[in-house]
Amino acid sequence: MIDVCYAINVEAEKCRIEAHGHAGCAERGGDVICAGVSALLYGFLYYLSEKHGSSLVWRESGDSLFMCFPSDSAEALEVVTASLRLMADTYPEYVSLQEGR
């Protein structure tokens, strides 16, 4: 299961999104669910790095990816989470999406 959590903190002017796990739909390297989630998240990371440069905080470790960025990209986060929501609704046994604080 891929667990994705995101949050928009207006007061702190920060947003975050993090993902953990593996879908388990197929073997690693051949899992289309993982590929879809990865494409969305890494495409978003690329967008954020172009827009925010050094104010983007991100890290990756094993099956985890974390990003923290200025809230002026909250609308872009909403687009990515809409796409992730579609994946979670379509494949609930493989993807979970939660809004955090």
Side-chain angles (χ1 to χ4, degrees):
M1 169 78 71
I2 300 172
D3 295 305
V4 181
C5 183
Y6 68 96
I8 300 171
N9 185 330
V10 177
E11 294 81 28
E13 298 181 351
K14 292 287 183 186
C15 296
R16 69 174 168 79
I17 186 166
E18 53 190 299
H20 306 279
H22 177 70
C25 177
E27 291 184 30
R28 291 179 188 271
D31 192 322
V32 296
I33 306 298
C34 280
V37 170
S38 292
L40 288 168
L41 291 173
Y42 283 100
F44 187 50
L45 178 60
Y46 181 78
Y47 164 80
L48 292 172
S49 67
E50 290 286 308
K51 182 172 182 177
H52 296 293
S54 63
S55 63
L56 166 66
V57 174
W58 73 280
R59 64 183 170 273
E60 151 180 59
S61 176
D63 288 343
S64 297
L65 178 63
F66 170 83
M67 294 175 252
C68 183
F69 48 94
S71 62
D72 65 347
S73 288
E75 190 170 318
L77 176 61
E78 291 177 14
V79 172
V80 170
T81 56
S83 299
L84 290 165
R85 171 63 58 210
L86 175 61
M87 292 192 74
D89 289 347
T90 305
Y91 305 104
E93 64 275 23
Y94 301 115
V95 181
S96 166
L97 179 66
Q98 301 296 319
E99 184 173 5
R101 291 182 281 175

